[in-house]
Amino acid sequence: MIEQKTIGEKISDVQASYDTLADEYVRHVYDELRHKPMDRQLLDRFADGVRDTGLACDLGCGPGQVARYLLECGVEVCGVDLSPAMVERARQLNPGIEFRTGDMTALDVPDEVWAGITAFYAIVNFPLADVMQALRQMKRVLRPGGLLLLSFHVGEEILHVEDLWGCAVSLDFYFFRTEDVEGYLRRAGFEIDEVIEREPYAPEVEYPSRRAYIFARKPSRETTTA
């Protein structure tokens, strides 16, 4: 019988793996947006939605390439990542942006502090049942009306990776059906603005999987029942 790991054990594996990967991740991913025009367009749209409304967070920021892009778009931005090594690289590469370590399933952030969140592939290393906890945290820390841009791989498979770019890791990559993530967002209390899917870019740019992007929003006014 295969032992099922707790969410804490899974988070520990993810953190340790990305600590190991940090330098190679920078080498392979930090300049990725140069080759992804649609991703830049979506980030431009996100920037237009949050600019001058308060602090936005690049959640699961890695070495900070999305945060850097948003800053160049005039957004006040910070970054949070589970991996201390990734946070260290982000600080080195992006002076002037505040980066800190944090667990998206238990964010050490006050309620309603961020005007927006980008979560580019931040959820891909956890099964959908654990993603729900992260989505609830995202809603908690967003201001009323706050904007979320969430992206993920489309599908139903799970890829277990033990070697990535020559580094020994233990990572599961989860692919999600778009309608499932939409449902979880609604259950977490978000309103869906738009769902966008695209085919992969060239293999030298990214892993050849279909991608989904969801613009969702925390309601401006919560409805309650007596």
Side-chain angles (χ1 to χ4, degrees), residues 20-50:
T20 300
L21 278 173
D23 287 330
E24 287 302 314
Y25 198 97
V26 169
R27 189 190 314 276
H28 288 86
V29 177
Y30 186 66
D31 287 328
E32 65 174 351
L33 290 173
R34 288 195 302 123
H35 309 289
K36 297 186 173 186
M38 183 173 175
D39 297 57
R40 296 196 304 271
Q41 291 171 10
L42 295 173
L43 288 170
D44 289 344
R45 175 176 161 185
F46 175 86
D48 289 343
V50 302

PDB file of all heavy atoms in Angstrom, residues 20-50:
ATOM      1  N   THR A  20      16.588  23.217  -4.290  1.00  0.00           N
ATOM      2  CA  THR A  20      17.615  22.540  -5.082  1.00  0.00           C
ATOM      3  C   THR A  20      17.673  23.081  -6.504  1.00  0.00           C
ATOM      4  O   THR A  20      18.746  23.223  -7.094  1.00  0.00           O
ATOM      5  CB  THR A  20      17.343  21.025  -5.110  1.00  0.00           C
ATOM      6  OG1 THR A  20      17.366  20.511  -3.781  1.00  0.00           O
ATOM      7  CG2 THR A  20      18.359  20.287  -5.963  1.00  0.00           C
ATOM      8  N   LEU A  21      16.505  23.405  -7.059  1.00  0.00           N
ATOM      9  CA  LEU A  21      16.388  23.822  -8.450  1.00  0.00           C
ATOM     10  C   LEU A  21      16.712  25.291  -8.696  1.00  0.00           C
ATOM     11  O   LEU A  21      16.778  25.712  -9.853  1.00  0.00           O
ATOM     12  CB  LEU A  21      14.946  23.612  -8.935  1.00  0.00           C
ATOM     13  CG  LEU A  21      14.495  22.236  -9.385  1.00  0.00           C
ATOM     14  CD1 LEU A  21      12.997  22.258  -9.640  1.00  0.00           C
ATOM     15  CD2 LEU A  21      15.238  21.826 -10.648  1.00  0.00           C
ATOM     16  N   ALA A  22      16.864  26.086  -7.658  1.00  0.00           N
ATOM     17  CA  ALA A  22      16.816  27.541  -7.795  1.00  0.00           C
ATOM     18  C   ALA A  22      17.706  28.087  -8.908  1.00  0.00           C
ATOM     19  O   ALA A  22      17.251  28.866  -9.748  1.00  0.00           O
ATOM     20  CB  ALA A  22      17.153  28.205  -6.464  1.00  0.00           C
ATOM     21  N   ASP A  23      18.951  27.692  -8.955  1.00  0.00           N
ATOM     22  CA  ASP A  23      19.859  28.248  -9.960  1.00  0.00           C
ATOM     23  C   ASP A  23      19.465  27.826 -11.369  1.00  0.00           C
ATOM     24  O   ASP A  23      19.471  28.647 -12.303  1.00  0.00           O
ATOM     25  CB  ASP A  23      21.307  27.840  -9.668  1.00  0.00           C
ATOM     26  CG  ASP A  23      21.883  28.577  -8.470  1.00  0.00           C
ATOM     27  OD1 ASP A  23      21.463  29.733  -8.213  1.00  0.00           O
ATOM     28  OD2 ASP A  23      22.738  27.995  -7.775  1.00  0.00           O
ATOM     29  N   GLU A  24      19.136  26.556 -11.554  1.00  0.00           N
ATOM     30  CA  GLU A  24      18.729  26.089 -12.882  1.00  0.00           C
ATOM     31  C   GLU A  24      17.380  26.686 -13.288  1.00  0.00           C
ATOM     32  O   GLU A  24      17.144  26.959 -14.466  1.00  0.00           O
ATOM     33  CB  GLU A  24      18.658  24.559 -12.913  1.00  0.00           C
ATOM     34  CG  GLU A  24      20.006  23.882 -12.898  1.00  0.00           C
ATOM     35  CD  GLU A  24      20.878  24.323 -14.072  1.00  0.00           C
ATOM     36  OE1 GLU A  24      20.359  24.352 -15.216  1.00  0.00           O
ATOM     37  OE2 GLU A  24      22.056  24.643 -13.845  1.00  0.00           O
ATOM     38  N   TYR A  25      16.504  26.901 -12.314  1.00  0.00           N
ATOM     39  CA  TYR A  25      15.215  27.527 -12.603  1.00  0.00           C
ATOM     40  C   TYR A  25      15.430  28.933 -13.154  1.00  0.00           C
ATOM     41  O   TYR A  25      14.805  29.334 -14.142  1.00  0.00           O
ATOM     42  CB  TYR A  25      14.361  27.564 -11.345  1.00  0.00           C
ATOM     43  CG  TYR A  25      12.886  27.791 -11.594  1.00  0.00           C
ATOM     44  CD1 TYR A  25      11.999  26.724 -11.654  1.00  0.00           C
ATOM     45  CD2 TYR A  25      12.382  29.080 -11.753  1.00  0.00           C
ATOM     46  CE1 TYR A  25      10.642  26.927 -11.879  1.00  0.00           C
ATOM     47  CE2 TYR A  25      11.034  29.288 -11.979  1.00  0.00           C
ATOM     48  CZ  TYR A  25      10.165  28.213 -12.040  1.00  0.00           C
ATOM     49  OH  TYR A  25       8.826  28.429 -12.268  1.00  0.00           O
ATOM     50  N   VAL A  26      16.315  29.692 -12.519  1.00  0.00           N
ATOM     51  CA  VAL A  26      16.646  31.029 -13.022  1.00  0.00           C
ATOM     52  C   VAL A  26      17.165  30.940 -14.452  1.00  0.00           C
ATOM     53  O   VAL A  26      16.761  31.696 -15.339  1.00  0.00           O
ATOM     54  CB  VAL A  26      17.679  31.717 -12.112  1.00  0.00           C
ATOM     55  CG1 VAL A  26      18.220  32.974 -12.767  1.00  0.00           C
ATOM     56  CG2 VAL A  26      17.060  32.044 -10.760  1.00  0.00           C
ATOM     57  N   ARG A  27      18.058  29.997 -14.685  1.00  0.00           N
ATOM     58  CA  ARG A  27      18.677  29.853 -16.003  1.00  0.00           C
ATOM     59  C   ARG A  27      17.640  29.554 -17.091  1.00  0.00           C
ATOM     60  O   ARG A  27      17.708  30.080 -18.206  1.00  0.00           O
ATOM     61  CB  ARG A  27      19.725  28.736 -15.946  1.00  0.00           C
ATOM     62  CG  ARG A  27      20.593  28.636 -17.198  1.00  0.00           C
ATOM     63  CD  ARG A  27      21.437  27.362 -17.154  1.00  0.00           C
ATOM     64  NE  ARG A  27      22.071  27.165 -15.865  1.00  0.00           N
ATOM     65  CZ  ARG A  27      23.218  27.713 -15.499  1.00  0.00           C
ATOM     66  NH1 ARG A  27      23.850  28.518 -16.336  1.00  0.00           N
ATOM     67  NH2 ARG A  27      23.742  27.464 -14.316  1.00  0.00           N
ATOM     68  N   HIS A  28      16.646  28.705 -16.769  1.00  0.00           N
ATOM     69  CA  HIS A  28      15.701  28.242 -17.783  1.00  0.00           C
ATOM     70  C   HIS A  28      14.416  29.066 -17.863  1.00  0.00           C
ATOM     71  O   HIS A  28      13.755  29.061 -18.902  1.00  0.00           O
ATOM     72  CB  HIS A  28      15.330  26.780 -17.522  1.00  0.00           C
ATOM     73  CG  HIS A  28      16.421  25.809 -17.834  1.00  0.00           C
ATOM     74  ND1 HIS A  28      17.409  25.471 -16.924  1.00  0.00           N
ATOM     75  CD2 HIS A  28      16.696  25.112 -18.953  1.00  0.00           C
ATOM     76  CE1 HIS A  28      18.235  24.592 -17.472  1.00  0.00           C
ATOM     77  NE2 HIS A  28      17.826  24.360 -18.701  1.00  0.00           N
ATOM     78  N   VAL A  29      14.040  29.745 -16.780  1.00  0.00           N
ATOM     79  CA  VAL A  29      12.693  30.314 -16.713  1.00  0.00           C
ATOM     80  C   VAL A  29      12.662  31.833 -16.559  1.00  0.00           C
ATOM     81  O   VAL A  29      11.692  32.471 -16.965  1.00  0.00           O
ATOM     82  CB  VAL A  29      11.896  29.653 -15.550  1.00  0.00           C
ATOM     83  CG1 VAL A  29      10.521  30.269 -15.386  1.00  0.00           C
ATOM     84  CG2 VAL A  29      11.762  28.149 -15.790  1.00  0.00           C
ATOM     85  N   TYR A  30      13.701  32.426 -16.025  1.00  0.00           N
ATOM     86  CA  TYR A  30      13.604  33.833 -15.635  1.00  0.00           C
ATOM     87  C   TYR A  30      13.246  34.751 -16.811  1.00  0.00           C
ATOM     88  O   TYR A  30      12.527  35.733 -16.636  1.00  0.00           O
ATOM     89  CB  TYR A  30      14.907  34.296 -14.977  1.00  0.00           C
ATOM     90  CG  TYR A  30      14.826  35.699 -14.427  1.00  0.00           C
ATOM     91  CD1 TYR A  30      13.979  35.992 -13.351  1.00  0.00           C
ATOM     92  CD2 TYR A  30      15.564  36.736 -14.984  1.00  0.00           C
ATOM     93  CE1 TYR A  30      13.886  37.274 -12.839  1.00  0.00           C
ATOM     94  CE2 TYR A  30      15.476  38.023 -14.480  1.00  0.00           C
ATOM     95  CZ  TYR A  30      14.628  38.285 -13.408  1.00  0.00           C
ATOM     96  OH  TYR A  30      14.525  39.552 -12.905  1.00  0.00           O
ATOM     97  N   ASP A  31      13.729  34.456 -18.002  1.00  0.00           N
ATOM     98  CA  ASP A  31      13.443  35.298 -19.165  1.00  0.00           C
ATOM     99  C   ASP A  31      12.315  34.757 -20.042  1.00  0.00           C
ATOM    100  O   ASP A  31      12.160  35.173 -21.192  1.00  0.00           O
ATOM    101  CB  ASP A  31      14.710  35.465 -20.018  1.00  0.00           C
ATOM    102  CG  ASP A  31      15.731  36.385 -19.361  1.00  0.00           C
ATOM    103  OD1 ASP A  31      15.307  37.322 -18.653  1.00  0.00           O
ATOM    104  OD2 ASP A  31      16.937  36.161 -19.548  1.00  0.00           O
ATOM    105  N   GLU A  32      11.498  33.853 -19.498  1.00  0.00           N
ATOM    106  CA  GLU A  32      10.488  33.182 -20.316  1.00  0.00           C
ATOM    107  C   GLU A  32       9.474  34.139 -20.942  1.00  0.00           C
ATOM    108  O   GLU A  32       8.965  33.881 -22.039  1.00  0.00           O
ATOM    109  CB  GLU A  32       9.737  32.128 -19.484  1.00  0.00           C
ATOM    110  CG  GLU A  32       8.917  32.723 -18.350  1.00  0.00           C
ATOM    111  CD  GLU A  32       8.061  31.696 -17.634  1.00  0.00           C
ATOM    112  OE1 GLU A  32       7.976  30.553 -18.110  1.00  0.00           O
ATOM    113  OE2 GLU A  32       7.464  32.055 -16.603  1.00  0.00           O
ATOM    114  N   LEU A  33       9.124  35.222 -20.266  1.00  0.00           N
ATOM    115  CA  LEU A  33       8.064  36.092 -20.781  1.00  0.00           C
ATOM    116  C   LEU A  33       8.443  36.759 -22.095  1.00  0.00           C
ATOM    117  O   LEU A  33       7.546  37.167 -22.859  1.00  0.00           O
ATOM    118  CB  LEU A  33       7.681  37.139 -19.733  1.00  0.00           C
ATOM    119  CG  LEU A  33       6.945  36.607 -18.504  1.00  0.00           C
ATOM    120  CD1 LEU A  33       6.772  37.708 -17.462  1.00  0.00           C
ATOM    121  CD2 LEU A  33       5.585  36.017 -18.884  1.00  0.00           C
ATOM    122  N   ARG A  34       9.711  36.862 -22.381  1.00  0.00           N
ATOM    123  CA  ARG A  34      10.134  37.417 -23.678  1.00  0.00           C
ATOM    124  C   ARG A  34       9.574  36.602 -24.832  1.00  0.00           C
ATOM    125  O   ARG A  34       9.355  37.130 -25.926  1.00  0.00           O
ATOM    126  CB  ARG A  34      11.666  37.445 -23.782  1.00  0.00           C
ATOM    127  CG  ARG A  34      12.328  38.486 -22.934  1.00  0.00           C
ATOM    128  CD  ARG A  34      13.771  38.700 -23.372  1.00  0.00           C
ATOM    129  NE  ARG A  34      14.558  37.468 -23.303  1.00  0.00           N
ATOM    130  CZ  ARG A  34      15.198  36.939 -24.336  1.00  0.00           C
ATOM    131  NH1 ARG A  34      15.120  37.496 -25.525  1.00  0.00           N
ATOM    132  NH2 ARG A  34      15.915  35.841 -24.180  1.00  0.00           N
ATOM    133  N   HIS A  35       9.348  35.300 -24.587  1.00  0.00           N
ATOM    134  CA  HIS A  35       8.922  34.389 -25.644  1.00  0.00           C
ATOM    135  C   HIS A  35       7.433  34.036 -25.547  1.00  0.00           C
ATOM    136  O   HIS A  35       6.969  33.150 -26.259  1.00  0.00           O
ATOM    137  CB  HIS A  35       9.746  33.097 -25.562  1.00  0.00           C
ATOM    138  CG  HIS A  35      11.222  33.338 -25.500  1.00  0.00           C
ATOM    139  ND1 HIS A  35      11.954  33.793 -26.574  1.00  0.00           N
ATOM    140  CD2 HIS A  35      12.098  33.213 -24.463  1.00  0.00           C
ATOM    141  CE1 HIS A  35      13.226  33.922 -26.226  1.00  0.00           C
ATOM    142  NE2 HIS A  35      13.341  33.575 -24.945  1.00  0.00           N
ATOM    143  N   LYS A  36       6.681  34.722 -24.676  1.00  0.00           N
ATOM    144  CA  LYS A  36       5.284  34.370 -24.440  1.00  0.00           C
ATOM    145  C   LYS A  36       4.391  35.614 -24.594  1.00  0.00           C
ATOM    146  O   LYS A  36       3.980  36.227 -23.609  1.00  0.00           O
ATOM    147  CB  LYS A  36       5.129  33.766 -23.038  1.00  0.00           C
ATOM    148  CG  LYS A  36       5.899  32.457 -22.862  1.00  0.00           C
ATOM    149  CD  LYS A  36       5.611  31.818 -21.512  1.00  0.00           C
ATOM    150  CE  LYS A  36       6.243  30.445 -21.406  1.00  0.00           C
ATOM    151  NZ  LYS A  36       5.854  29.748 -20.154  1.00  0.00           N
ATOM    152  N   PRO A  37       4.073  35.971 -25.837  1.00  0.00           N
ATOM    153  CA  PRO A  37       3.312  37.209 -26.053  1.00  0.00           C
ATOM    154  C   PRO A  37       1.923  37.201 -25.427  1.00  0.00           C
ATOM    155  O   PRO A  37       1.477  38.230 -24.899  1.00  0.00           O
ATOM    156  CB  PRO A  37       3.230  37.316 -27.583  1.00  0.00           C
ATOM    157  CG  PRO A  37       3.504  35.930 -28.094  1.00  0.00           C
ATOM    158  CD  PRO A  37       4.450  35.326 -27.113  1.00  0.00           C
ATOM    159  N   MET A  38       1.238  36.070 -25.451  1.00  0.00           N
ATOM    160  CA  MET A  38      -0.106  36.039 -24.860  1.00  0.00           C
ATOM    161  C   MET A  38      -0.041  36.231 -23.352  1.00  0.00           C
ATOM    162  O   MET A  38      -0.872  36.930 -22.763  1.00  0.00           O
ATOM    163  CB  MET A  38      -0.822  34.741 -25.195  1.00  0.00           C
ATOM    164  CG  MET A  38      -2.242  34.685 -24.672  1.00  0.00           C
ATOM    165  SD  MET A  38      -3.132  33.224 -25.255  1.00  0.00           S
ATOM    166  CE  MET A  38      -4.658  33.416 -24.327  1.00  0.00           C
ATOM    167  N   ASP A  39       0.953  35.627 -22.713  1.00  0.00           N
ATOM    168  CA  ASP A  39       1.118  35.795 -21.275  1.00  0.00           C
ATOM    169  C   ASP A  39       1.370  37.261 -20.926  1.00  0.00           C
ATOM    170  O   ASP A  39       0.826  37.787 -19.955  1.00  0.00           O
ATOM    171  CB  ASP A  39       2.266  34.921 -20.763  1.00  0.00           C
ATOM    172  CG  ASP A  39       1.991  33.441 -20.960  1.00  0.00           C
ATOM    173  OD1 ASP A  39       1.756  33.033 -22.119  1.00  0.00           O
ATOM    174  OD2 ASP A  39       2.010  32.694 -19.974  1.00  0.00           O
ATOM    175  N   ARG A  40       2.170  37.929 -21.747  1.00  0.00           N
ATOM    176  CA  ARG A  40       2.413  39.352 -21.508  1.00  0.00           C
ATOM    177  C   ARG A  40       1.126  40.159 -21.662  1.00  0.00           C
ATOM    178  O   ARG A  40       0.864  41.075 -20.872  1.00  0.00           O
ATOM    179  CB  ARG A  40       3.490  39.880 -22.470  1.00  0.00           C
ATOM    180  CG  ARG A  40       4.869  39.252 -22.274  1.00  0.00           C
ATOM    181  CD  ARG A  40       5.962  40.069 -22.947  1.00  0.00           C
ATOM    182  NE  ARG A  40       5.714  40.282 -24.368  1.00  0.00           N
ATOM    183  CZ  ARG A  40       6.121  39.461 -25.335  1.00  0.00           C
ATOM    184  NH1 ARG A  40       6.772  38.347 -25.035  1.00  0.00           N
ATOM    185  NH2 ARG A  40       5.877  39.753 -26.606  1.00  0.00           N
ATOM    186  N   GLN A  41       0.322  39.815 -22.668  1.00  0.00           N
ATOM    187  CA  GLN A  41      -0.950  40.527 -22.858  1.00  0.00           C
ATOM    188  C   GLN A  41      -1.867  40.353 -21.651  1.00  0.00           C
ATOM    189  O   GLN A  41      -2.526  41.309 -21.208  1.00  0.00           O
ATOM    190  CB  GLN A  41      -1.639  40.020 -24.122  1.00  0.00           C
ATOM    191  CG  GLN A  41      -0.943  40.398 -25.410  1.00  0.00           C
ATOM    192  CD  GLN A  41      -1.540  39.689 -26.622  1.00  0.00           C
ATOM    193  OE1 GLN A  41      -2.592  39.051 -26.539  1.00  0.00           O
ATOM    194  NE2 GLN A  41      -0.857  39.785 -27.751  1.00  0.00           N
ATOM    195  N   LEU A  42      -1.912  39.147 -21.103  1.00  0.00           N
ATOM    196  CA  LEU A  42      -2.764  38.901 -19.941  1.00  0.00           C
ATOM    197  C   LEU A  42      -2.234  39.633 -18.712  1.00  0.00           C
ATOM    198  O   LEU A  42      -3.014  40.165 -17.914  1.00  0.00           O
ATOM    199  CB  LEU A  42      -2.873  37.397 -19.685  1.00  0.00           C
ATOM    200  CG  LEU A  42      -3.574  36.606 -20.792  1.00  0.00           C
ATOM    201  CD1 LEU A  42      -3.481  35.113 -20.515  1.00  0.00           C
ATOM    202  CD2 LEU A  42      -5.022  37.030 -20.946  1.00  0.00           C
ATOM    203  N   LEU A  43      -0.924  39.672 -18.554  1.00  0.00           N
ATOM    204  CA  LEU A  43      -0.344  40.424 -17.444  1.00  0.00           C
ATOM    205  C   LEU A  43      -0.574  41.926 -17.619  1.00  0.00           C
ATOM    206  O   LEU A  43      -0.796  42.646 -16.642  1.00  0.00           O
ATOM    207  CB  LEU A  43       1.143  40.111 -17.312  1.00  0.00           C
ATOM    208  CG  LEU A  43       1.468  38.715 -16.763  1.00  0.00           C
ATOM    209  CD1 LEU A  43       2.957  38.416 -16.905  1.00  0.00           C
ATOM    210  CD2 LEU A  43       1.028  38.576 -15.313  1.00  0.00           C
ATOM    211  N   ASP A  44      -0.541  42.400 -18.859  1.00  0.00           N
ATOM    212  CA  ASP A  44      -0.872  43.804 -19.121  1.00  0.00           C
ATOM    213  C   ASP A  44      -2.305  44.098 -18.674  1.00  0.00           C
ATOM    214  O   ASP A  44      -2.579  45.138 -18.058  1.00  0.00           O
ATOM    215  CB  ASP A  44      -0.739  44.126 -20.608  1.00  0.00           C
ATOM    216  CG  ASP A  44       0.704  44.152 -21.086  1.00  0.00           C
ATOM    217  OD1 ASP A  44       1.619  44.228 -20.240  1.00  0.00           O
ATOM    218  OD2 ASP A  44       0.908  44.084 -22.316  1.00  0.00           O
ATOM    219  N   ARG A  45      -3.204  43.181 -18.986  1.00  0.00           N
ATOM    220  CA  ARG A  45      -4.605  43.367 -18.585  1.00  0.00           C
ATOM    221  C   ARG A  45      -4.739  43.359 -17.067  1.00  0.00           C
ATOM    222  O   ARG A  45      -5.460  44.180 -16.483  1.00  0.00           O
ATOM    223  CB  ARG A  45      -5.457  42.267 -19.205  1.00  0.00           C
ATOM    224  CG  ARG A  45      -6.909  42.277 -18.763  1.00  0.00           C
ATOM    225  CD  ARG A  45      -7.687  41.225 -19.506  1.00  0.00           C
ATOM    226  NE  ARG A  45      -8.935  40.919 -18.808  1.00  0.00           N
ATOM    227  CZ  ARG A  45      -9.778  39.971 -19.173  1.00  0.00           C
ATOM    228  NH1 ARG A  45      -9.515  39.245 -20.253  1.00  0.00           N
ATOM    229  NH2 ARG A  45     -10.877  39.746 -18.488  1.00  0.00           N
ATOM    230  N   PHE A  46      -4.030  42.431 -16.417  1.00  0.00           N
ATOM    231  CA  PHE A  46      -4.045  42.402 -14.954  1.00  0.00           C
ATOM    232  C   PHE A  46      -3.511  43.723 -14.399  1.00  0.00           C
ATOM    233  O   PHE A  46      -4.099  44.312 -13.475  1.00  0.00           O
ATOM    234  CB  PHE A  46      -3.198  41.233 -14.444  1.00  0.00           C
ATOM    235  CG  PHE A  46      -3.046  41.192 -12.948  1.00  0.00           C
ATOM    236  CD1 PHE A  46      -3.993  40.567 -12.158  1.00  0.00           C
ATOM    237  CD2 PHE A  46      -1.958  41.795 -12.327  1.00  0.00           C
ATOM    238  CE1 PHE A  46      -3.861  40.543 -10.774  1.00  0.00           C
ATOM    239  CE2 PHE A  46      -1.816  41.769 -10.960  1.00  0.00           C
ATOM    240  CZ  PHE A  46      -2.769  41.143 -10.178  1.00  0.00           C
ATOM    241  N   ALA A  47      -2.407  44.198 -14.961  1.00  0.00           N
ATOM    242  CA  ALA A  47      -1.808  45.451 -14.493  1.00  0.00           C
ATOM    243  C   ALA A  47      -2.786  46.616 -14.635  1.00  0.00           C
ATOM    244  O   ALA A  47      -2.909  47.452 -13.728  1.00  0.00           O
ATOM    245  CB  ALA A  47      -0.525  45.732 -15.272  1.00  0.00           C
ATOM    246  N   ASP A  48      -3.509  46.651 -15.741  1.00  0.00           N
ATOM    247  CA  ASP A  48      -4.500  47.712 -15.938  1.00  0.00           C
ATOM    248  C   ASP A  48      -5.604  47.648 -14.882  1.00  0.00           C
ATOM    249  O   ASP A  48      -6.177  48.675 -14.508  1.00  0.00           O
ATOM    250  CB  ASP A  48      -5.132  47.593 -17.330  1.00  0.00           C
ATOM    251  CG  ASP A  48      -4.170  47.975 -18.451  1.00  0.00           C
ATOM    252  OD1 ASP A  48      -3.144  48.623 -18.163  1.00  0.00           O
ATOM    253  OD2 ASP A  48      -4.442  47.599 -19.608  1.00  0.00           O
ATOM    254  N   GLY A  49      -5.887  46.439 -14.387  1.00  0.00           N
ATOM    255  CA  GLY A  49      -6.954  46.269 -13.410  1.00  0.00           C
ATOM    256  C   GLY A  49      -6.577  46.598 -11.980  1.00  0.00           C
ATOM    257  O   GLY A  49      -7.464  46.803 -11.144  1.00  0.00           O
ATOM    258  N   VAL A  50      -5.268  46.629 -11.699  1.00  0.00           N
ATOM    259  CA  VAL A  50      -4.848  46.848 -10.303  1.00  0.00           C
ATOM    260  C   VAL A  50      -3.969  48.082 -10.114  1.00  0.00           C
ATOM    261  O   VAL A  50      -3.728  48.490  -8.975  1.00  0.00           O
ATOM    262  CB  VAL A  50      -4.117  45.607  -9.736  1.00  0.00           C
ATOM    263  CG1 VAL A  50      -4.996  44.377  -9.795  1.00  0.00           C
ATOM    264  CG2 VAL A  50      -2.795  45.366 -10.462  1.00  0.00           C
TER     265      VAL A  50
END
